[in-house]
Amino acid sequence: MSRLFLLAAPTMAAILGLAGLPEAALAQDAAAAAAPAAPTLNNGDTAWMLVSTALVLMMTIPGLALFYGGMVRKMNVLATVMQSFAITCLISVLWYVIGYSLAFTGEGAYIGGLDRLFLNGLDFTKAFTLGESTSAGVPTTIPEPVFMMFQMTFAIITPALITGAFADRMKFSSLLVFTALWSVVVYAPIAHWVWYPTGFLFGLGVLDFAGGTVVHINAGVAGLVAALVIGKRKGYPNENFMPHNLVLSLIGASLLWVGWFGFNAGSALTAGPRAGMAMAATHIATAGAALGWMFAEWAAKGKPSVLGIISGAVAGLVAVTPAAGFVDPTGAIVIGIVAGVICFWSATSLKRALGYDDSLDAFGVHGVGGLVGALLTGVFAKMSVSNSEGAFASVLKDTPNATLGLLEGNASAVWIQIQGIAWTIGWCAIATFVLLKVIDVVMGLRVDEDVERDGLDLSLHGETIH
């Protein structure tokens, strides 16, 4: 995650160099990064990361399960919550087998290696350096198993978010196959690109503190492609597809909000100033987005809805994710309000105009919200926030006026963010489309018409909620 940028200032050479940073300063930092001090375990940081890991896991089960489960029709509630729970189990095993290794080892720019296949060689007794075998290794103050588990929870929630786009109509067996393949072919490489020291987007200087590109744009684009490939729900948009229990969804959204503090503040990897600022930015942006969506809906439709305000809150959480460790509270609230209004438009007017059936607005909230947040991170990123733990001390010593975001004078930051967005969308869209088409040919993607009509709970799982 972009906390890695903050721990190793030389990796930001692309941005800072375009901002006019002298080559001598970059060379000094590169030399310092080539021979970092041996990392030391910090019990406080480790404890915070253990808590953050539990908070992020809570975001999927029960948070996302309830959020999505309350928004579908009564006959599909169990099938929906089952998807979140099953994905949690499946990705946990795949992350242990190969996912972590592909994302966070090796020396390649596009994909990791097999150094941690079946978590081989994982040392739990000392602080670890991410990318230790490379010249750009990033020291941390936590044991590698803690980092591995924290990253696992991100790998879990990303494909779980996708399921909202095709709720009510995908085979459970096909979902499991798609999730397994997608996590290896799409998620792991993009995580490597953005968050690993040798990843090419990391080297480019793309700012993504906690998953704007890796998690939200990735999941949103995959969801849109899946919705288009699988097709619309029977009867959409003419039949009534209103949520069956918004109380469940509100509880789920609330759990997501609380869990997101682990998602964003935990991405600092330390229990320090950056975690505190990330938590503040997250909360303020979320509140602003919820109000932004609520007032936009109130003005457009005459009434503010429960579904609207909780959807707005999630949009704010999504949008502030890439920015949380780079912006101050003022930047955060602007990002939140803008995301709330734009995501309201994308989940209503845009979806209606283009005619796609994104059942629970996985693309409208996560894809669009992630895109808004990633772009605005390049606008509002501040050196004072990013250097709150001394990550850029050596750079600022030689170049006191070095800047980070557009508002500080570094116009190149927005262009770099656009490149990160474009690469993520391109690979995710192409790979997701190919995977879905292959699965459709081999085993089919969609349930039979009578199963969809009668409900997935009884047909796929032999159960009902009452």
Side-chain angles (χ1 to χ4, degrees):
M1 303 184 162
S2 68
R3 55 184 176 276
L4 304 178
F5 291 94
L6 308 172
L7 290 167
T11 61
M12 295 299 295
I15 287 181
L16 298 177
L18 289 172
L21 203 63
E23 292 182 5
L26 295 177
Q28 291 171 10
D29 285 315
T40 303
L41 278 176
N42 182 287
N43 289 340
D45 294 342
T46 301
W48 168 236
M49 293 311 300
L50 291 170
V51 171
S52 294
T53 299
L55 286 171
V56 182
L57 180 61
M58 185 185 74
M59 289 171 62
T60 305
I61 50 172
L64 186 68
L66 291 173
F67 183 63
Y68 278 175
M71 286 196 285
V72 297
R73 291 172 293 175
K74 185 177 179 180
M75 60 187 181
N76 294 325
V77 177
L78 293 179
T80 301
V81 299
M82 176 68 164
Q83 289 174 347
S84 291
F85 204 94
I87 286 172
T88 299
C89 300
L90 177 62
I91 297 301
S92 296
V93 174
L94 281 174
W95 196 247
Y96 148 73
V97 173
I98 194 171
Y100 176 70
S101 190
L102 291 178
F104 293 104
T105 70
E107 300 181 2
Y110 301 101
I111 191 66
L114 301 178
D115 300 12
R116 290 291 184 267
L117 194 66
F118 294 96
L119 298 183
N120 177 57
L122 203 69
D123 190 342
F124 61 90
T125 64
K126 63 179 183 180
F128 89 110
T129 297
L130 184 64
E132 188 172 12
S133 63
T134 73
S135 61
V138 179
T140 75
T141 57
I142 62 175
E144 189 172 3
V146 176
F147 178 79
M148 181 276 297
M149 281 295 301
F150 184 65
Q151 291 295 341
M152 179 192 289
T153 59
F154 282 68
I156 287 169
I157 197 170
T158 307
L161 292 171
I162 301 171
T163 63
F166 49 73
D168 297 346
R169 58 198 188 273
M170 189 173 187
K171 289 182 178 180
F172 184 63
S173 56
S174 300
L175 169 71
L176 294 178
V177 173
F178 169 72
T179 298
L181 294 174
W182 190 88
S183 69
V184 173
V185 174
V186 179
Y187 181 84
I190 292 179
H192 186 84
W193 297 355
V194 177
W195 288 336
Y196 193 70
T198 63
F200 83 99
L201 292 182
F202 185 104
L204 183 63
V206 172
L207 298 173
D208 187 358
F209 191 74
T213 52
V214 178
V215 176
H216 298 295
I217 293 177
N218 211 6
V221 169
L224 177 62
V225 172
L228 293 173
V229 171
I230 297 172
K232 301 176 184 179
R233 288 167 288 180
K234 298 298 181 183
Y236 179 86
N238 298 318
E239 293 185 11
N240 183 8
F241 290 94
M242 294 298 293
H244 93 285
N245 191 333
L246 282 175
V247 173
L248 290 182
S249 293
L250 187 144
I251 294 170
S254 302
L255 289 168
L256 284 168
W257 190 332
V258 175
W260 224 287
F261 292 135
F263 201 81
N264 285 359
S267 291
L269 279 191
T270 62
R274 176 151 287 103
M277 181 59 84
M279 179 175 283
T282 298
H283 189 74
I284 292 167
T286 303
L291 293 175
W293 185 306
M294 184 188 76
F295 284 117
E297 182 181 44
W298 205 339
K301 299 186 176 182
K303 294 180 181 179
S305 70
V306 172
L307 180 60
I309 196 169
I310 62 176
S311 297
V314 173
L317 291 165
V318 168
V320 77
T321 291
F326 297 107
V327 303
D328 63 13
T330 299
I333 198 166
V334 174
I335 290 172
I337 292 171
V338 171
V341 174
I342 291 180
C343 287
F344 166 72
W345 168 79
S346 67
T348 54
S349 300
L350 179 64
K351 182 167 70 171
R352 191 181 308 113
L354 298 182
Y356 58 86
D357 184 12
D358 176 9
S359 304
L360 309 181
D361 296 313
F363 173 73
V365 172
H366 294 277
V368 174
L371 191 152
V372 169
L375 281 175
L376 293 183
T377 298
V379 174
F380 291 102
K382 299 186 71 172
M383 180 62 77
S384 60
V385 177
S386 302
N387 191 51
S388 61
E389 294 179 354
F392 294 93
S394 60
V395 171
L396 293 172
K397 180 179 178 181
D398 296 316
T399 311
N401 296 323
T403 58
L404 197 58
L406 175 63
L407 293 185
E408 288 192 330
N410 184 13
S412 65
V414 175
W415 169 237
I416 290 170
Q417 294 299 98
I418 291 172
Q419 292 179 70
I421 292 167
W423 276 103
T424 301
I425 290 175
W427 177 246
C428 178
I430 294 170
T432 300
F433 179 81
V434 172
L435 289 175
L436 287 168
K437 282 297 187 180
V438 170
I439 294 170
D440 195 23
V441 170
V442 174
M443 58 191 299
L445 289 170
R446 189 165 184 153
V447 297
D448 294 336
E449 187 171 347
D450 58 338
V451 172
E452 187 174 344
R453 182 186 62 248
D454 298 336
L456 276 60
D457 290 359
L458 191 59
S459 299
L460 297 185
H461 305 292
E463 301 168 303
T464 61
I465 59 173
H466 294 300

